[in-house]
Amino acid sequence: MRKILVTGANRGIGLAMVREFLATGEFVLAVARHPERSGELRQIREGDYGDRLKIYAGDLASEESLQSLAREITSFPGQLDTLVNNAGVFPEEGTEPFGDLDLGHLETAWQVNVRGTLRLTQLLLPLLGKGHSPTIVNVSSGAASISTKDHSRQYCYGLTKAALNHFTRGLAAELRSGGITVVAISPGWVRTDMGGDQAEITAEESAQAMVRTTGKLTLAQSGEFLDRHGKTGVYAW
Ligand SMILES: NC(=O)c1ccc[n+]([C@@H]2O[C@H](COP(=O)([O-])OP(=O)(O)OC[C@H]3O[C@@H](n4cnc5c(N)ncnc54)[C@H](OP(=O)(O)O)[C@@H]3O)[C@@H](O)[C@H]2O)c1
């Protein structure tokens, strides 16, 4: 049984990944900004897999909250095998021309998608260092791609996901010798609050594929930008 931490675990893809990891027999640390408001997580804890689920509070936009989360997690002896950096925000409309763009959205997106994600990863690295085939999965997006950026706006969101990919590649290089695998995975276009009703797949479909891919990752794939099925080349850098 692997010990897996998922951020943004209270809804959308994160919640579906929690369900899927539990169904495949893993132990899950579910991190949510307001866990007390998440009926779904509480329901899972009261169900069949509840003894393999721990729920934590963690706000990626707050240094204090991240430090307290890391303290709580590291106070238990043991290791962390997989960190799924799933929580994210898409604060802009995504269709506004650059001239009309509120750059405050960049700060909002940066705080969560980049700063908070990097900081949590930094705080949990010692635990991952003790993990079994440790893996960091950064949930990225097709919007991260620079070489195919010839169609859409999404400036703030895209910039932060491109930064997350940059981080993925750099950290993979640094941690390879220590046996830690780091990848960026795009979940697809998913019907969630962020993806909207018109998206192609359900959160369950995305999560099933991502959980399967996460379970099969090897160090040879470290530094790659994968689709949810684990394929390279579907999303261009
Ligand atoms: N849906 C898609 O089509 C799609 C496509 C490509 C990539 N992605 C990526 O997939 C990931 C999950 O997206 P989703 O579609 O499931 O989005 P979502 O339904 O909007 O859920 C976002 C999750 O992130 C959490 N979050 C936001 N700000 C946070 C903060 N400051 N601290 C902690 N958690 C925070 C939310 O918690 P609260 O409930 O507290 O706000 C929520 O659990 C994101 O990284 C997203 O960029 C999604």
Side-chain angles (χ1 to χ4, degrees), residues 30-211:
V31 176
R33 196 156 38 154
H34 303 292
E36 71 286 355
R37 294 186 200 160
S38 179
E40 280 100 336
L41 280 179
R42 270 204 312 277
Q43 231 172 19
I44 300 173
R45 200 172 44 194
E46 282 154 20
D48 290 348
Y49 307 137
D51 55 333
R52 285 188 281 110
L53 175 66
K54 269 183 174 288
I55 303 170
Y56 294 92
D59 182 347
L60 289 184
S62 157
E63 172 67 22
E64 198 188 331
S65 167
L66 289 179
Q67 285 199 24
S68 140
L69 169 66
R71 263 196 311 275
E72 225 185 309
I73 290 173
T74 50
S75 68
F76 288 100
Q79 85 294 354
L80 180 65
D81 303 308
T82 300
L83 168 61
V84 182
N85 285 318
N86 164 75
V89 289
F90 188 149
E92 70 223 281
E93 287 297 319
T95 49
E96 59 270 63
F98 179 67
D100 297 339
L101 185 65
D102 173 358
L103 289 179
H105 293 320
L106 183 58
E107 280 152 47
T108 307
W110 188 267
Q111 276 300 315
V112 178
N113 300 353
V114 185
R115 205 262 173 207
T117 298
L118 267 64
R119 184 63 178 135
L120 182 62
T121 305
Q122 192 175 50
L123 289 165
L124 296 180
L125 259 190
L127 266 191
L128 280 160
K130 298 182 203 162
H132 175 69
S133 301
T135 309
I136 298 170
V137 173
N138 292 323
V139 179
S140 184
S141 164
S145 176
I146 293 171
S147 57
T148 60
K149 181 125 188 101
D150 49 11
H151 52 91
S152 76
R153 289 169 177 163
Q154 309 181 351
Y155 290 104
C156 302
Y157 179 72
L159 275 169
T160 61
K161 289 296 184 180
L164 185 66
N165 277 11
H166 192 279
F167 167 62
T168 301
R169 194 81 181 181
L171 193 66
E174 181 179 335
L175 300 183
R176 188 169 284 117
S177 61
I180 301 182
T181 299
V182 190
V183 294
I185 302 185
S186 174
W189 187 21
V190 190
R191 287 197 288 280
T192 62
D193 293 337
M194 187 185 293
D197 295 343
Q198 302 304 311
E200 287 163 358
I201 55 171
T202 63
E204 289 67 35
E205 286 170 306
S206 176
Q208 275 167 17
M210 294 221 290
V211 164

